[in-house]
Every structure is written in structure tokens, then in C-alpha cells.
Amino acid sequence: MSAVELAGAACDLLEREGPKYNALAALTRDRARREALAADRAIRARTARSRLLGIPYGVKDLLSAKGAPTTWGAPPFKDQVFDEDATAVAKLRRSGATLAGKLSMVELAGGGGYRYPSASLQGPGRNPWDRERWSGGSSSGSGSAVGAGLVPFALGSETSGSIGTPSAYCGVTGLRPTYGLVSRHGAMALCWTLDKIGPMARTAEDCGIVLEAIAGPDPKDATSSGKRFRPLAPRDASRRLRGVRIGYAGEEIEQLGGATAKAALLRGVRELVRILNAKTVRAALPPDIPYGHMVGAVLAAEAGSIFAELIESDRFEELRDAKQKAGLRQGLEIKARDYLKAMRLRVSVHEAFRRIFDDCDLLLSAGRTVTATPLTQPLDLPPTAGGANAPKPVGNAALIAAGNLAGLPAIFFPCGFGTDGLPVGLQLVGPPFSEGLLVAAASAYQRETAHHSKRPKRSP
């Protein structure tokens, strides 16, 4: 099959199947064909070096693609078009990958908070395993498209959980990179000090291939770390995994795990430890740090500043979620002392992780402690996992918030299915720039299991 044929097949699939999951924001068929023609020329000339050459993909609709709509999932920006590729998209173009489509997202990536999955220009993200369940936000289209097999990989973004949640709910593998490893130039800003761009794919190995292509320095992004990424060679991976120490608490699964998810999550933990032949050590986040409130304060203040012009304009009322609009307005009222206090407390989070990683190499927990929630369920009151009456966080229940506050990398990967037939997954978190070890650990697990290879039946 030529790259042109493959690009056409991917575009056909996205066009036909994507709307069933509200996953497609814009088809980029003409661009995919141009890029595929270039890939075929490189293949014929035997100049091909990239493993992504001719591979179709999709990107979350907060990343600009020259000439294509970039709506940020929000009605006020439905006609927005940029004349430049985001750096991550440009790097994938240079690698020979072919952009097949822009993928839907929660409006403004959930800035301000939102109550219902319908807070999106394309409608609620529908889960490919059950279209009446949510695919997760805010990278909802990326999770659905990869989970349904519509594209081999997609780019998502995470501020606090937006790669992890759709990966867990849709049964795909997602890699959240260290803050600053991947340029955010050309991406919608939600929270300058938390935003990260990362791949979502079928396997950890595929995520590593994509990350290698998009990571690296960028003079257009002042927060770029300047570091590059390369997956570990098989011999190095085996050496690094020999005697690997896994930090684990478990109370977050035992006490907060949903009835449909808990047994499968606990089996996955045992399975991972056995396959890696890992040494497990007790490791838990300090319970006295208000991780969730800190993320909320930082995100609200920064999002309020970023979207101030929109909030104060008539277009603001076009947003679909009332709670989100209220949250964005409140963000304009955050006091400087509250924002700065949260920023200072981040030092405590960094120190807590430093102590944890003195005793272990990777930290293990659930990706989400519940299976995908119904589309009609309010997101601020999910059972056993949050809301006003939720149990006090225990173990590493706050790992997603804490890991994002510290800018740490994480990999999310499937580990089985709940009693309701929906996917469940685990997450591994590592020290800064430990993506190589994370990919190696998840890849070793996936070589011995088949959870990641399961695909849902396509809906008629």
C-alpha cells in the first residue's frame, strides 16, 4: 500500500466513523494527500529514515495546522484559521507523517471547569466502547479516534488529566511528557505553567516513536527545556528495568476504586509487578498538601488572564457550559496572593516527589479509579471519584494533580476491563525526563499482555 492509499483510507475512515463519536473537528484530506505524495517520493528515492514516514495521524484541535480550522472546541472560535503549523505539527510533517484530521476537544480545554461532556463545539466525546459513555476530556477526540482505530496515533494535551483520562477511558496508551520537553508554540494556551503536549497511541512503543519526533528545543517557545528524547535501545531498556523499584500505595484503588473497575485494576497492578519482576516499596504522596486546590488556583488565575478578552466580550456567551463560564469569570477575580501562594507551595510538591524517588524509580497508580462515566452524568459529582461528598484523598489519589504541578512525565496504559466491559488502565510516573524508562516499562508489560490490542466493535 502506498502512503497516498493509506492517507486516503485514513481520511475515509475518519470522515465515515469520526462523527459517530463526535471525534472529528476538521478533515484535512488535501493536506494528507500532499504529505503522502512526498512520503512516497522519499520511499522510492530510498531516502526514508523516519519510522513515521507515510503514517496518518490526528491532532487535538488546540494545535494549529496551516490553513485548517483551529476551533479550540469553542463556538466563539469556530471560524478561526492560522497560517502557521504548531511546532509539534511541523516536526511531524518533517518526519513524513501525514495529518488526516483535527480532532475534537472540550471547549477551551476545559478552562474554568465544566459540568457536562457536551461542553464542546462538536458535542460530547463518545466512547468507542459504549457511545453512551464519555471518552474523557479534554482530549476527547484524540482518545475516541485512537481507541476506535480511526488513526494510528494522535496528539493530545494535558494540563491536569487531559491525556490520562481519555487514555484510561478509551483503552489507549498516552504519554505525558516532562514540562518543557515538547514545544507548545502554536498550541492554545490554557495554563502556561502546566500545559504539555503528548502522544496517544495503541502502544507505549508507538508513543515513544512519536515523542522522539516532536520533542526537542524550539526558539519559539521560551519554556522549552532544550532536551531531546530517544527511546532506550533494547539492551539498555533491559538493563534499566533489571531490579526496577516500583513505588505503590494502593489505598486509592482499594478505597476509592469504583465497583466495576477495582478488581481489574488490582489484577493489573499484580500483573505489572510480576512481568517487570519489580521490587515494590511503599510510596505515597504527603496527604497534607492541597494538590487539587493548588491546580485549581493556578489554572483559574492563568486561564482567566489568557481568556480575559473573550470573557469580557459578547462572544463569551456562546460557550456551551454554564459552569465553565462561571469558572472563567471567577478566574478574573483570583487574588494575586492566592495565586502566588499556590505557586510557592509547588516547591513542596517538587520536594515530596524528590523524596519519593530517592526510594523508588517509578510510581504506580490507577489511570482512573472508575470506568468511563455516562454522558449524562455531571462531571463535578462522579461517584466515588470526586465531588463535594467524596472521601478524603488517600494513597496516591491525587497523583495526576501532583504530577502535573511538578511537571513530571507519566505513561497511561490499559490493564484490562471492568465488569461493565469498559477499559481500565494504570499510570506510571517518573522523575523529570525519565520518559525512556516509562516507555520501556510499559512496553515490557505490553509485550506480555494483550489488553492494549483489544478493539471495540464499530457501531453501525
Side-chain angles (χ1 to χ4, degrees), residues 377-424:
Q377 179 175 297
L379 300 173
D380 49 357
L381 294 171
T384 76
N389 299 316
K392 184 177 179 180
V394 295
N396 291 313
L399 187 55
I400 286 180
N404 278 285
L405 285 167
L408 299 180
I411 193 161
F412 303 85
F413 52 97
C415 69
F417 293 85
T419 56
D420 53 4
L422 297 174
V424 297

Side-chain angles (χ1 to χ4, degrees), residues 191-208:
C191 186
W192 296 294
T193 63
L194 289 171
D195 295 344
K196 296 160 288 292
I197 307 296
M200 300 165 69
R202 181 67 52 188
T203 68
E205 182 182 7
D206 287 350
C207 284

Side-chain angles (χ1 to χ4, degrees), residues 11 13-28 58 61 100-105 121-122 141-142 144-145 150:
C11 288
L13 196 57
L14 272 174
E15 188 172 38
R16 185 178 70 248
E17 301 289 330
K20 296 178 182 178
Y21 310 106
N22 295 329
L24 183 63
L27 197 68
T28 54
D61 199 28
K102 307 291 294 298
L103 302 174
S104 60
M105 57 181 282
L121 182 60
Q122 285 76 37
S142 298
S144 293
L150 308 186

Side-chain angles (χ1 to χ4, degrees), residues 22 46 55 93 103 138 150 162 167-168 203 250 269 288 292 301 306 326 330 344 409 412 421 426 460:
N22 295 329
R46 300 185 182 276
I55 302 299
R93 184 186 71 242
L103 302 174
S138 61
L150 308 186
S162 292
S167 294
T203 68
V269 168
D288 55 343
I306 288 165
Q330 291 170 3
R344 287 196 300 269
F412 303 85
L426 301 173

